[in-house]
């Protein structure tokens, strides 16, 4: 049984309360969702508030379950304060990347904790690259670092091809936020586990190269 730290409980509760409010109150949802036009007009609160709203219960449940499974790994290793720092930084960084890639699409909107949760997931993988993960329809365990690399490569593919109604750029940005902040908080990883640090950086380098080559559009 996974531990449920008070900080994790508080974050899940905030997501549930705000999401339920958004389900029932469309004006509330529209006021606090991520929207490029509104943010560029100065409504910066949306960069943060949108991370606690969800489209529906399935979206909310998936994000909160993922957070539940990986939060404890980060909290045990780094403590509650650093966990909160990683969570918030990943949330904001995910939205910043979305804002950058969609800055001319004033109509573009999004909601969800996916960026923040992906940042926690990537931080957990960085701290415990030997962990094994199981995916639906895949009966064998997948090493954490392999999953992390594959997930971000898929996010790049999703960004480039705009697959589904999914904020792939927010996922990618959140993961980068979790990766970068974890390394800032635990620089010793460069000495103790440089191999995995380098491997997990591969998708980030690929995205940068594709962007410089103008092949993301």
């Amino acid at each position: 049984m996974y531990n449920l730290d008070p900080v994790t409980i508080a974050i899940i509760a905030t997501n549930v309360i705000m999401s339920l409010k958004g389900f029932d109150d469309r004006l509330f949802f529209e006021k606090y969702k991520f929207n490029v036009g509104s943010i560029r007009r100065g409504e910066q609160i949306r960069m943060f508030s949108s991370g606690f709203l969800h489209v529906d219960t399935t979206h909310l449940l998936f994000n909160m379950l993922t957070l539940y499974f990986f939060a404890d790994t980060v909290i045990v290793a780094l403590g509650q304060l650093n966990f909160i720092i990683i969570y918030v930084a990943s949330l904001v960084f995910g939205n910043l990347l979305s804002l950058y890639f969609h800055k001319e699409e004033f109509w573009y909107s999004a909601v969800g904790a996916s960026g923040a949760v992906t940042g926690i997931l990537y931080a957990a993988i960085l701290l415990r690259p030997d962990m094994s993960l199981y995916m639906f329809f895949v009966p064998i365990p997948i090493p954490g670092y392999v999953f992390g690399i594959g997930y971000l490569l898929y996010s790049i593919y999703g960004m480039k091809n705009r697959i589904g109604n999914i904020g792939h750029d927010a996922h990618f940005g959140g993961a980068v936020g979790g990766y970068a902040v974890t390394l800032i908080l635990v620089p010793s990883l460069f000495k103790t586990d440089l191999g995995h640090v380098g491997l997990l950086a591969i998708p980030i380098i690929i995205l940068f190269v594709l962007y410089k080559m103008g092949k993301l559009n």
Side-chain angles (χ1 to χ4, degrees):
M1 183 68 179
Y2 289 85
N3 294 324
L4 205 56
D5 188 272
V7 169
T8 307
I9 294 173
I11 291 175
I12 291 175
T14 303
N15 273 277
V16 170
I17 291 169
M18 284 196 64
S19 293
L20 291 178
K21 172 68 172 174
F23 296 160
D24 294 332
D25 187 341
R26 194 65 191 179
L27 289 177
F28 179 86
F29 184 88
E30 293 294 328
K31 182 177 180 180
Y32 292 110
K33 71 179 182 180
F34 178 95
N35 175 262
V36 172
S38 299
I39 292 170
R40 292 192 61 176
R41 286 192 296 270
E43 297 179 28
Q44 305 301 330
I45 187 63
R46 293 172 182 263
M47 295 287 290
F48 181 75
S49 62
S50 61
F52 294 92
L53 294 170
H54 290 80
V55 172
D56 52 35
T57 52
T58 300
H59 187 206
L60 173 64
L61 182 62
F62 181 82
N63 276 335
M64 294 304 100
L65 278 176
T66 305
L67 178 64
Y68 168 75
F69 284 123
F70 294 98
D72 195 54
T73 299
V74 180
I75 292 173
V76 169
L78 303 181
Q80 294 176 329
L81 178 59
N82 288 333
F83 171 82
I84 294 171
I85 291 172
I86 293 172
Y87 187 92
V88 173
S90 299
L91 189 164
V92 173
F93 202 89
N95 280 340
L96 282 172
L97 193 64
S98 287
L99 183 62
Y100 182 77
F101 280 113
H102 299 281
K103 58 182 177 290
E104 301 304 327
E105 301 168 36
F106 282 63
W107 63 89
Y108 182 85
S109 298
V111 293
S114 300
V117 172
T118 305
I120 294 298
L121 168 63
Y122 222 68
I125 291 172
L126 190 56
L127 293 166
R128 287 278 311 280
D130 59 331
M131 71 166 63
S132 295
L133 304 176
Y134 288 85
M135 298 294 292
F136 293 114
F137 310 116
V138 181
I140 58 174
I142 302 172
Y145 71 94
V146 173
F147 174 83
I149 293 169
Y151 183 83
L152 288 198
L153 289 176
Y154 173 73
S155 293
I156 293 174
Y157 177 76
M159 291 165 64
K160 183 175 173 57
N161 295 281
R162 303 210 171 195
I163 296 175
N165 188 28
I166 300 172
H168 296 286
D169 35 30
H171 294 183
F172 194 99
V176 173
Y179 175 83
V181 176
T182 301
L183 288 176
I184 291 171
L185 294 172
V186 194
S188 60
L189 287 171
F190 285 108
K191 292 183 179 180
T192 61
D193 205 0
L194 183 60
H196 287 120
V197 170
L199 286 172
L200 289 167
I202 289 174
I204 301 171
I205 296 171
I206 290 174
L207 180 71
F208 179 77
V209 171
L210 288 175
Y211 172 73
K212 284 296 184 180
M213 294 175 65
K215 293 188 175 181
L216 283 179
N217 298 322

